Amino acid sequence: MDLTGHIPYSNMHLSDIKVLIERGENDTIEFKQTVPSPDKIAREICALANTRGGIIFVGVSDHGELVGIRDYFEEEFWIRQGAEELCMPAVQVRFEVIEVKKRDILLVHVAESERKPVFLKQKKKRIAFIRQHEENVVASPERLRLMAMETRDTEITFEYGPKEQRLFQYLREYGEISADGFAKIAGISATMASRTLAALVKTGTLSVFFREKQEYFCFTVSDNKEPQTVSGT
């Protein structure tokens, strides 16, 4: 673990920092009054790295109050431990400091990973998180497949068959469907449903969205209908 012992001051003006903070937490911004533990901060890092990257503001309360921290050395140690030892693969982070009323606000820049999905080490199994608005949610099997496809630039080849016909017919009538719902109406396994939906999202045929922490699939808006031919698996 590479501890710098010195973190540079940010080139961002305090007023610009305040504007970002006033907007509140979202899919790229997270507030932490302190770093509670390497395990907990690793979850934030994992989620940001699997989404679009972002900034963790340490020394900022959940309500956006600039409370600051007295000493950033322990925070830096735990954050690096979370990013480098608890995330697989390790996630790149960069630190900056801005002084507020004789206290420091630590800015942790989390890079979007080029090797998705990033998993969080657990005692029993690996788990991946993604950012959904201001929350970290567990990545679904479909999302994991999509991230892996994007990382490897996988070429999709599949046959347009009965299960896709049932899916498109359902979407024409109801507009959206979950992975479990697709498995049920098509009479296929959850694994096959997940694989098919991920492939259709990858080809641009379907889009995925969240509602109440549940992922749903619908026709891509530009299409709004099933394709005449689909190549891929």
Side-chain angles (χ1 to χ4, degrees):
M1 188 186 304
D2 180 22
L3 292 178
T4 64
H6 172 72
I7 295 176
Y9 280 95
S10 175
N11 290 326
M12 296 180 67
H13 193 275
L14 179 58
S15 61
D16 297 325
I17 299 290
K18 287 182 176 179
V19 168
L20 285 176
I21 292 173
E22 286 171 1
R23 292 174 182 171
E25 293 179 311
N26 54 45
D27 61 341
T28 61
I29 299 294
E30 173 70 22
F31 300 154
K32 288 293 178 190
Q33 188 161 330
T34 60
V35 177
S37 69
D39 291 343
K40 291 183 178 179
I41 199 66
R43 179 178 296 200
E44 312 288 351
I45 294 168
C46 174
L48 290 168
N50 277 330
T51 311
R52 295 192 296 148
I55 305 175
I56 302 173
F57 290 88
V58 182
V60 178
S61 73
D62 289 340
H63 303 293
E65 181 184 359
L66 302 176
V67 295
I69 53 177
R70 291 185 180 277
D71 192 337
Y72 56 71
F73 292 108
E74 184 175 19
E75 274 76 9
E76 181 192 7
F77 179 81
W78 278 2
I79 291 166
R80 287 195 184 277
Q81 185 177 355
E84 298 173 9
E85 298 179 10
L86 300 181
C87 290
M88 302 184 301
V91 175
Q92 179 183 352
V93 293
R94 178 172 60 86
F95 297 89
E96 290 182 315
V97 169
I98 188 164
E99 187 175 348
V100 179
K101 297 178 181 178
K102 297 184 178 180
R103 289 201 172 198
D104 293 326
I105 302 295
L106 184 62
L107 280 63
V108 186
H109 298 265
V110 180
E112 179 178 358
S113 178
E114 296 180 353
R115 299 169 58 196
K116 299 178 185 178
V118 174
F119 289 94
L120 188 64
K121 290 182 182 179
Q122 302 281 298
K123 290 183 178 180
K124 295 184 178 180
K125 63 178 182 179
R126 301 183 308 171
I127 190 168
F129 291 89
I130 59 172
R131 195 77 172 168
Q132 176 60 21
H133 302 304
E134 73 280 7
E135 296 185 339
N136 305 317
V137 299
V138 176
S140 67
E142 299 77 46
R143 185 72 64 166
L144 291 175
R145 293 180 191 279
L146 277 170
M147 287 192 283
M149 288 177 183
E150 291 169 359
T151 296
R152 300 167 190 161
D153 196 20
T154 304
E155 182 178 351
I156 305 301
T157 56
F158 65 88
E159 297 294 331
Y160 173 60
K163 65 180 183 299
E164 287 82 12
Q165 292 177 5
R166 289 181 183 176
L167 172 63
F168 294 152
Q169 182 179 359
Y170 185 95
L171 289 176
R172 286 200 305 273
E173 186 170 354
Y174 297 103
E176 64 189 46
I177 195 170
S178 66
D180 289 342
F182 175 39
K184 187 177 295 185
I185 66 165
I188 58 178
S189 68
T191 299
M192 178 59 71
S194 173
R195 189 174 297 160
T196 302
L197 289 168
L200 288 168
V201 172
K202 174 67 173 174
T203 61
T205 303
L206 299 184
S207 295
V208 58
F209 67 94
F210 272 94
R211 186 171 63 243
E212 298 178 355
K213 297 185 180 181
Q214 170 75 42
E215 282 187 330
Y216 292 89
F217 299 83
C218 63
F219 285 126
T220 300
V221 174
S222 60
D223 295 337
N224 201 29
K225 61 181 181 179
E226 74 275 19
Q228 298 301 311
T229 59
V230 180
S231 63
T233 287

